[in-house]
Amino acid sequence: MFEETQRFLRSLDGGGQVPVLIEDDEEGYFDRECPSDECLFQFKMLSEDWHKAKEAERLHCPACGHTDHSDRWWTQQQVEHMHAAAVAQIQGGLNRALKTDAARFNRSRPRGGFISMTMKVDSRPQHVMLPPAATDPMALKITCPSCACRYAVIGAAYFCPACGHSAAEQVFEQTIAGIKATLKALDQVRAAMPDRDTAETTVRVVIENGLQNAVTAFQRVVEALFVELPAPPKTRRNAFQNLAEGSTLWQQTTGKGYDAHLDAPSLDQLARAFQQRHLLAHRQGLVDEEYIAKSGDTRYRPGQRLVLRAEGVTEAVELVERLVAGLRDDASIARSRQGPSP
């Protein structure tokens, strides 16, 4: 009795494998997620390039540059899906085994006796787990200039997941253009969501992410320009997230500060945007005394939450563009003065 059930249970001994399908999206991209707990950045790789890259066993996060083994880049949604699908397959196998044993037991019972006993296995309808839904088309598709790996991100990302190549300068314009396009599409976002509260929450997140991505884009591209300058001094980590500190470093190395490219009101406006990004990243947007002191933004009291408008973020993005254009000119002049390497 219960031979089929026992056979099924023995097959699970030793941790047998249960195949679970994770599909590409409609464009052939495969969802990935940075395994660093401090990042968890999600991106996509073209499936063809993913299978090539994983043979090297090491992948790189496009956002933070974290490097890890290729089997650790599953998204949280994929892990949940695989767990649920595996449990469903095991439950289905056990259910079939029990049904087989029950039918065999019933056939062996004598008919017409005073006592009749049968066995029934109650099986509720099983839910078929679909693969995780593909996310909306990524705003930015990138081909690595070094290894030709094709990947896609939302927001700012500056490292090739396959080879780790930093493409900050190449990606900067695309990132800024993507932020601008997203901010222009906010009315479409609102219209696509019937629930007004959900729509407004989504719009707020998009606006705040736009500012954070613009500051990150600025930081990455200026870091890339700075290390190519003649004899650049050593800097602390994230020095170029601070406009005043970054301007001083740039002045020391090229002879020009940020004020050579933006007037004082524009620099003040951009500095306030950088401080707002700091609040969003580290205080969930809650204003404190330090923010008011550093930004000069007296519209808020400590404990209030920032309220950003798309127009304000768009202006900050345009100031970032103007400043980076000037810094590129500075860098080009500094390199030309150095002349060719001996």
Side-chain angles (χ1 to χ4, degrees), residues 110-132:
R111 302 286 180 177
F114 180 70
I115 298 176
S116 177
M117 183 171 62
T118 60
M119 183 183 295
K120 178 183 178 182
V121 177
D122 183 16
S123 58
R124 298 179 181 178
Q126 296 184 30
H127 298 282
V128 177
M129 293 292 298
L130 298 176

Side-chain angles (χ1 to χ4, degrees), residues 238-310:
N238 295 330
F240 289 102
Q241 283 184 8
N242 183 301
L243 279 183
E245 182 177 357
S247 181
T248 299
L249 287 167
W250 201 261
Q251 170 81 38
Q252 292 172 349
T253 312
T254 68
K256 290 184 178 180
Y258 293 174
D259 57 356
H261 309 293
L262 294 178
D263 59 24
S266 295
L267 280 174
D268 288 343
Q269 182 179 352
L270 193 56
R272 182 161 53 250
F274 273 50
Q275 288 298 320
Q276 290 171 341
R277 174 262 165 204
H278 181 83
L279 283 188
L280 292 170
H282 301 289
R283 288 185 48 82
Q284 298 182 325
L286 295 177
V287 173
D288 57 8
E289 293 282 2
E290 183 180 7
Y291 166 77
I292 297 173
K294 288 185 175 181
S295 68
D297 190 353
T298 57
R299 297 173 299 170
Y300 295 96
R301 297 188 306 273
Q304 289 185 302
R305 195 186 188 284
L306 287 175
V307 178
L308 301 184
R309 304 296 181 191

